mmCIF file with all atom_site columns, all heavy atoms in Angstrom:
data_model
loop_
_atom_site.group_PDB
_atom_site.id
_atom_site.type_symbol
_atom_site.label_atom_id
_atom_site.label_alt_id
_atom_site.label_comp_id
_atom_site.label_asym_id
_atom_site.label_entity_id
_atom_site.label_seq_id
_atom_site.pdbx_PDB_ins_code
_atom_site.Cartn_x
_atom_site.Cartn_y
_atom_site.Cartn_z
_atom_site.occupancy
_atom_site.B_iso_or_equiv
_atom_site.pdbx_formal_charge
_atom_site.auth_seq_id
_atom_site.auth_comp_id
_atom_site.auth_asym_id
_atom_site.auth_atom_id
_atom_site.pdbx_PDB_model_num
ATOM 1  N N   . GLY A 1 23 ? 96.334  48.099 106.677 1.00 80.00 ? 23 GLY A N   1
ATOM 2  C CA  . GLY A 1 23 ? 95.012  47.758 106.163 1.00 80.00 ? 23 GLY A CA  1
ATOM 3  C C   . GLY A 1 23 ? 95.056  47.011 104.846 1.00 80.00 ? 23 GLY A C   1
ATOM 4  O O   . GLY A 1 23 ? 95.843  46.090 104.658 1.00 80.00 ? 23 GLY A O   1
ATOM 5  N N   . ALA A 1 24 ? 94.215  47.435 103.896 1.00 81.00 ? 24 ALA A N   1
ATOM 6  C CA  . ALA A 1 24 ? 94.076  46.744 102.612 1.00 81.00 ? 24 ALA A CA  1
ATOM 7  C C   . ALA A 1 24 ? 95.339  46.828 101.759 1.00 81.00 ? 24 ALA A C   1
ATOM 8  O O   . ALA A 1 24 ? 95.554  46.012 100.875 1.00 81.00 ? 24 ALA A O   1
ATOM 9  C CB  . ALA A 1 24 ? 92.900  47.314 101.836 1.00 81.00 ? 24 ALA A CB  1
ATOM 10 N N   . ALA A 1 25 ? 96.192  47.799 102.022 1.00 79.00 ? 25 ALA A N   1
ATOM 11 C CA  . ALA A 1 25 ? 97.429  47.951 101.243 1.00 79.00 ? 25 ALA A CA  1
ATOM 12 C C   . ALA A 1 25 ? 98.528  47.008 101.716 1.00 79.00 ? 25 ALA A C   1
ATOM 13 O O   . ALA A 1 25 ? 99.598  46.955 101.105 1.00 79.00 ? 25 ALA A O   1
ATOM 14 C CB  . ALA A 1 25 ? 97.920  49.386 101.330 1.00 79.00 ? 25 ALA A CB  1
ATOM 15 N N   . ALA A 1 26 ? 98.280  46.248 102.775 1.00 84.00 ? 26 ALA A N   1
ATOM 16 C CA  . ALA A 1 26 ? 99.317  45.401 103.371 1.00 84.00 ? 26 ALA A CA  1
ATOM 17 C C   . ALA A 1 26 ? 100.008 44.465 102.379 1.00 84.00 ? 26 ALA A C   1
ATOM 18 O O   . ALA A 1 26 ? 101.234 44.390 102.394 1.00 84.00 ? 26 ALA A O   1
ATOM 19 C CB  . ALA A 1 26 ? 98.748  44.616 104.542 1.00 84.00 ? 26 ALA A CB  1
ATOM 20 N N   . PRO A 1 27 ? 99.297  43.743 101.498 1.00 86.00 ? 27 PRO A N   1
ATOM 21 C CA  . PRO A 1 27 ? 100.021 42.839 100.592 1.00 86.00 ? 27 PRO A CA  1
ATOM 22 C C   . PRO A 1 27 ? 101.040 43.556 99.706  1.00 86.00 ? 27 PRO A C   1
ATOM 23 O O   . PRO A 1 27 ? 102.164 43.089 99.541  1.00 86.00 ? 27 PRO A O   1
ATOM 24 C CB  . PRO A 1 27 ? 98.911  42.201 99.752  1.00 86.00 ? 27 PRO A CB  1
ATOM 25 C CG  . PRO A 1 27 ? 97.694  42.298 100.598 1.00 86.00 ? 27 PRO A CG  1
ATOM 26 C CD  . PRO A 1 27 ? 97.852  43.589 101.359 1.00 86.00 ? 27 PRO A CD  1
ATOM 27 N N   . VAL A 1 28 ? 100.666 44.700 99.177  1.00 86.00 ? 28 VAL A N   1
ATOM 28 C CA  . VAL A 1 28 ? 101.583 45.451 98.311  1.00 86.00 ? 28 VAL A CA  1
ATOM 29 C C   . VAL A 1 28 ? 102.747 45.993 99.127  1.00 86.00 ? 28 VAL A C   1
ATOM 30 O O   . VAL A 1 28 ? 103.913 45.885 98.716  1.00 86.00 ? 28 VAL A O   1
ATOM 31 C CB  . VAL A 1 28 ? 100.838 46.605 97.611  1.00 86.00 ? 28 VAL A CB  1
ATOM 32 C CG1 . VAL A 1 28 ? 101.804 47.511 96.876  1.00 86.00 ? 28 VAL A CG1 1
ATOM 33 C CG2 . VAL A 1 28 ? 99.786  46.064 96.673  1.00 86.00 ? 28 VAL A CG2 1
ATOM 34 N N   . LEU A 1 29 ? 102.463 46.546 100.294 1.00 84.00 ? 29 LEU A N   1
ATOM 35 C CA  . LEU A 1 29 ? 103.520 47.118 101.120 1.00 84.00 ? 29 LEU A CA  1
ATOM 36 C C   . LEU A 1 29 ? 104.441 46.039 101.678 1.00 84.00 ? 29 LEU A C   1
ATOM 37 O O   . LEU A 1 29 ? 105.649 46.264 101.790 1.00 84.00 ? 29 LEU A O   1
ATOM 38 C CB  . LEU A 1 29 ? 102.917 47.959 102.241 1.00 84.00 ? 29 LEU A CB  1
ATOM 39 C CG  . LEU A 1 29 ? 102.190 49.210 101.757 1.00 84.00 ? 29 LEU A CG  1
ATOM 40 C CD1 . LEU A 1 29 ? 101.495 49.909 102.917 1.00 84.00 ? 29 LEU A CD1 1
ATOM 41 C CD2 . LEU A 1 29 ? 103.143 50.162 101.063 1.00 84.00 ? 29 LEU A CD2 1
ATOM 42 N N   . LEU A 1 30 ? 103.899 44.866 102.016 1.00 89.00 ? 30 LEU A N   1
ATOM 43 C CA  . LEU A 1 30 ? 104.752 43.769 102.475 1.00 89.00 ? 30 LEU A CA  1
ATOM 44 C C   . LEU A 1 30 ? 105.719 43.354 101.372 1.00 89.00 ? 30 LEU A C   1
ATOM 45 O O   . LEU A 1 30 ? 106.901 43.111 101.633 1.00 89.00 ? 30 LEU A O   1
ATOM 46 C CB  . LEU A 1 30 ? 103.911 42.570 102.922 1.00 89.00 ? 30 LEU A CB  1
ATOM 47 C CG  . LEU A 1 30 ? 103.307 42.677 104.309 1.00 89.00 ? 30 LEU A CG  1
ATOM 48 C CD1 . LEU A 1 30 ? 102.315 41.548 104.551 1.00 89.00 ? 30 LEU A CD1 1
ATOM 49 C CD2 . LEU A 1 30 ? 104.385 42.674 105.373 1.00 89.00 ? 30 LEU A CD2 1
ATOM 50 N N   . PHE A 1 31 ? 105.239 43.298 100.142 1.00 91.00 ? 31 PHE A N   1
ATOM 51 C CA  . PHE A 1 31 ? 106.111 42.960 99.015  1.00 91.00 ? 31 PHE A CA  1
ATOM 52 C C   . PHE A 1 31 ? 107.191 44.023 98.844  1.00 91.00 ? 31 PHE A C   1
ATOM 53 O O   . PHE A 1 31 ? 108.366 43.721 98.644  1.00 91.00 ? 31 PHE A O   1
ATOM 54 C CB  . PHE A 1 31 ? 105.296 42.801 97.731  1.00 91.00 ? 31 PHE A CB  1
ATOM 55 C CG  . PHE A 1 31 ? 106.147 42.533 96.526  1.00 91.00 ? 31 PHE A CG  1
ATOM 56 C CD1 . PHE A 1 31 ? 106.651 41.264 96.313  1.00 91.00 ? 31 PHE A CD1 1
ATOM 57 C CD2 . PHE A 1 31 ? 106.469 43.538 95.641  1.00 91.00 ? 31 PHE A CD2 1
ATOM 58 C CE1 . PHE A 1 31 ? 107.457 41.003 95.216  1.00 91.00 ? 31 PHE A CE1 1
ATOM 59 C CE2 . PHE A 1 31 ? 107.272 43.304 94.542  1.00 91.00 ? 31 PHE A CE2 1
ATOM 60 C CZ  . PHE A 1 31 ? 107.768 42.017 94.329  1.00 91.00 ? 31 PHE A CZ  1
ATOM 61 N N   . GLU A 1 32 ? 106.790 45.281 98.934  1.00 88.00 ? 32 GLU A N   1
ATOM 62 C CA  . GLU A 1 32 ? 107.734 46.397 98.779  1.00 88.00 ? 32 GLU A CA  1
ATOM 63 C C   . GLU A 1 32 ? 108.823 46.350 99.848  1.00 88.00 ? 32 GLU A C   1
ATOM 64 O O   . GLU A 1 32 ? 110.010 46.500 99.552  1.00 88.00 ? 32 GLU A O   1
ATOM 65 C CB  . GLU A 1 32 ? 106.973 47.711 98.860  1.00 88.00 ? 32 GLU A CB  1
ATOM 66 C CG  . GLU A 1 32 ? 107.839 48.942 98.757  1.00 88.00 ? 32 GLU A CG  1
ATOM 67 C CD  . GLU A 1 32 ? 107.013 50.208 98.919  1.00 88.00 ? 32 GLU A CD  1
ATOM 68 O OE1 . GLU A 1 32 ? 106.027 50.386 98.192  1.00 88.00 ? 32 GLU A OE1 1
ATOM 69 O OE2 . GLU A 1 32 ? 107.384 51.003 99.801  1.00 88.00 ? 32 GLU A OE2 1
ATOM 70 N N   . VAL A 1 33 ? 108.413 46.132 101.096 1.00 89.00 ? 33 VAL A N   1
ATOM 71 C CA  . VAL A 1 33 ? 109.386 46.095 102.187 1.00 89.00 ? 33 VAL A CA  1
ATOM 72 C C   . VAL A 1 33 ? 110.275 44.861 102.082 1.00 89.00 ? 33 VAL A C   1
ATOM 73 O O   . VAL A 1 33 ? 111.477 44.930 102.325 1.00 89.00 ? 33 VAL A O   1
ATOM 74 C CB  . VAL A 1 33 ? 108.672 46.172 103.555 1.00 89.00 ? 33 VAL A CB  1
ATOM 75 C CG1 . VAL A 1 33 ? 109.646 45.973 104.699 1.00 89.00 ? 33 VAL A CG1 1
ATOM 76 C CG2 . VAL A 1 33 ? 107.957 47.505 103.701 1.00 89.00 ? 33 VAL A CG2 1
#
Side-chain angles (χ1 to χ4, degrees):
V28 172
L29 294 174
L30 280 171
F31 177 78
E32 178 183 306
V33 173

